[in-house]
């Protein structure tokens, strides 16, 4: 069925009625979301969204721009707060010790270290030419040593997108802080990630790494990276017509790289907000086992053979 184009004047008038109405703001957002095809029907609708909010009711227009993804798509200026860029510029120009009286001690210490590392260029991006994994391992060995362990595990029936935020939060942390971070998040996917990290801890301990000095150097997830047998895949291929069709198997390949090193990663130390995360992690310290306890719990006990 072909879509009927809406006249430009009618589209602009309808959107203006939504923005200037005195109804509830959430209702206006829902109505605007249902009329998202106005933008494809008429260029006047997109031009109206780019206009500044009217003086009569600026709150409604601001909610429309920020809440609805379709309307937000036409805004040239991003509404996301650029926190890190502002803090980095401020640390490069100003001295942290001037505001030491207004900040706690742990914040002053963390910001002082972050300021030194940012001025040294610890946050500069590195260009990649060639095999990224090999180059990353070379830089990792040159920075922290050769004691590196890589562990990968297949997770079935879990979409890879659920791991992305969790892996970003634990990358660069020590094993103890990574376990605290997963415990503090209280996400359903954190339980899956705790199992993967526990198996990686067992492998690292068996290969001679000191768990108190081991850090999560890198972790990533690959979409449908599991190598499934044909018998397993055939279970999901069943002809049922239009009703009760079984979806294809979904899998995620999670790979964790651990390294034993003497000092933390510069990127974590250069984060001006890491001291806040350390405070939040300390709230669940009593409820979280240490890496050694995780190893003893996860390690399979070898049965004795009696002759």
């Amino acid at each position: 069925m072909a879509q009927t184009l809406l006249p430009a004047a009618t589209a602009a008038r309808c959107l203006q009625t939504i923005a200037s109405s005195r109804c509830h703001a959430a209702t206006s957002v829902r109505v605007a979301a249902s009329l998202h095809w106005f933008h494809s029907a008429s260029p006047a609708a997109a031009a109206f969204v780019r206009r500044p909010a009217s003086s009569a009711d600026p709150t409604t227009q601001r909610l429309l721009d920020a809440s609805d993804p379709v309307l937000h798509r036409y805004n040239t200026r991003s509404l996301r707060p650029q926190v890190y860029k502002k803090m980095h510029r401020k640390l490069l120009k100003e001295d942290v010790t001037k505001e030491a009286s207004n900040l706690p001690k742990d914040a002053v210490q963390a910001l002082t270290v972050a300021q030194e590392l940012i001025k040294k260029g610890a946050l500069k991006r590195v260009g990649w030419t060639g095999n990224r994994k090999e180059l990353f391992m070379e830089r990792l060995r040159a920075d922290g040593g050769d004691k590196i362990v890589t562990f990968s595990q297949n997770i079935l029936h879990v979409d890879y997108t659920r791991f992305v935020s969790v892996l970003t939060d634990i990358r660069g942390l020590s094993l103890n802080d990574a376990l605290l971070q997963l415990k503090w998040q209280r996400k359903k996917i954190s339980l899956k990630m705790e199992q993967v990290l526990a198996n990686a801890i067992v492998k690292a301990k068996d290969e001679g790494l000191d768990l108190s000095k081991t850090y999560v150097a890198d972790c990533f997830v690959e979409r449908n990276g599991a190598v499934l047998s044909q018998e397993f895949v055939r279970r999901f291929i069943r002809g049922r017509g239009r009703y009760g069709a079984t979806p294809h198997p979904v899998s995620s390949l999670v790979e964790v790289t651990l390294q034993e090193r003497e000092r933390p990663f510069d990127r974590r130390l250069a984060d001006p907000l890491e001291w806040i995360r350390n405070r939040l992690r300390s709230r669940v310290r009593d409820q979280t086992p240490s890496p050694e306890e995780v190893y003893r719990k996860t390690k399979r006990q070898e049965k004795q053979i009696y002759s």
Side-chain angles (χ1 to χ4, degrees), residues 261-295:
R261 47 191 297 127
E262 296 298 330
R263 64 186 305 272
F265 289 95
D266 290 343
R267 181 165 286 274
R268 278 292 179 178
L269 295 176
D271 192 341
L273 299 178
E274 190 64 23
W275 64 276
I276 301 178
R277 300 189 186 97
N278 289 331
R279 284 191 173 189
L280 296 176
R281 295 186 199 113
S282 63
R283 297 181 178 181
V284 294
R285 193 176 301 277
D286 299 336
Q287 312 168 15
T288 308
S290 63
E292 291 289 345
E293 295 174 355
V294 172
Y295 172 77

Side-chain angles (χ1 to χ4, degrees), residues 118-145:
I118 290 174
K119 289 182 179 180
K120 291 180 181 179
L123 298 180
K124 289 184 178 179
R125 293 183 177 272
V126 180
W128 298 97
T129 55
N131 193 332
R132 294 190 176 186
K133 188 172 183 179
E134 293 180 359
L135 293 174
F136 170 75
M137 297 301 289
E138 291 179 3
R139 291 182 57 220
L140 193 61
R141 293 189 188 96
D143 183 53

Side-chain angles (χ1 to χ4, degrees), residues 48-250:
F48 172 77
V49 175
R50 286 193 292 267
R51 295 178 190 173
S54 59
S55 57
D57 193 1
T59 306
T60 306
Q61 180 64 28
R62 196 158 53 243
L63 284 172
L64 286 172
D65 293 343
S67 302
D68 188 64
V70 179
L71 297 178
H72 178 67
R73 179 175 56 186
Y74 293 94
N75 290 339
T76 56
R77 181 181 177 183
S78 176
L79 298 176
R80 296 178 180 178
Q82 304 295 330
V83 179
Y84 279 98
K85 291 183 179 179
K86 293 181 180 178
M87 297 188 74
H88 292 165
R89 288 195 296 264
K90 189 174 182 180
L91 289 174
L92 287 174
K93 296 180 180 179
E94 301 180 6
D95 190 4
V96 181
T97 57
K98 295 181 180 179
E99 301 181 1
S101 59
N102 301 328
L103 296 174
K105 293 182 179 180
D106 54 348
V108 175
Q109 294 175 0
L111 291 176
T112 304
V113 175
Q115 189 177 37
E116 295 176 357
L117 292 174
I118 290 174
K119 289 182 179 180
K120 291 180 181 179
L123 298 180
K124 289 184 178 179
R125 293 183 177 272
V126 180
W128 298 97
T129 55
N131 193 332
R132 294 190 176 186
K133 188 172 183 179
E134 293 180 359
L135 293 174
F136 170 75
M137 297 301 289
E138 291 179 3
R139 291 182 57 220
L140 193 61
R141 293 189 188 96
D143 183 53
D146 296 333
K147 295 184 177 181
I148 301 174
V149 172
T150 301
F151 176 80
S152 59
Q153 181 175 340
N154 294 321
I155 308 296
L156 295 177
H157 312 303
V158 180
D159 190 61
Y160 77 102
T161 55
R162 299 183 60 189
F163 286 99
V164 174
S165 60
V166 179
L167 297 178
T168 304
D169 292 338
I170 68 173
R171 189 179 293 117
L173 296 177
S174 63
L175 288 179
N176 191 22
D177 289 342
L179 292 172
L180 291 173
Q181 180 71 25
L182 294 174
K183 188 69 175 180
W184 177 80
Q185 283 180 335
R186 296 181 181 178
K187 292 183 178 180
K188 200 172 183 179
I189 194 62
S190 298
L191 300 176
K192 296 283 186 181
M193 193 59 212
E194 285 179 3
Q195 298 174 3
V196 177
L197 193 59
N199 294 330
I201 288 174
V202 171
K203 183 178 180 181
K205 180 71 173 179
D206 291 343
E207 295 192 9
L209 270 66
D210 187 1
L211 298 182
S212 61
K213 299 180 181 179
T214 304
Y215 292 80
V216 182
D218 188 28
C219 49
F220 66 92
V221 61
E222 184 180 348
R223 180 182 181 182
N224 293 333
V227 180
L228 304 177
S229 63
Q230 291 297 325
E231 295 180 0
F232 183 82
V233 175
R234 287 194 193 98
R235 300 176 188 175
F236 294 84
I237 304 177
R238 298 172 182 174
R240 295 179 181 175
R242 298 182 180 180
Y243 177 77
T246 307
H248 295 288
V250 177

Side-chain angles (χ1 to χ4, degrees), residues 8-76:
T10 307
R13 201 181 309 116
C14 292
L15 284 176
Q16 191 161 6
T17 304
I18 295 172
S20 60
S21 62
R22 295 175 180 251
C23 60
H24 196 269
T27 306
S28 301
V29 172
R30 286 197 298 269
V31 175
S34 63
L35 300 176
H36 66 275
W37 49 273
F38 279 178
H39 299 280
S40 60
S42 172
F48 172 77
V49 175
R50 286 193 292 267
R51 295 178 190 173
S54 59
S55 57
D57 193 1
T59 306
T60 306
Q61 180 64 28
R62 196 158 53 243
L63 284 172
L64 286 172
D65 293 343
S67 302
D68 188 64
V70 179
L71 297 178
H72 178 67
R73 179 175 56 186
Y74 293 94
N75 290 339
T76 56

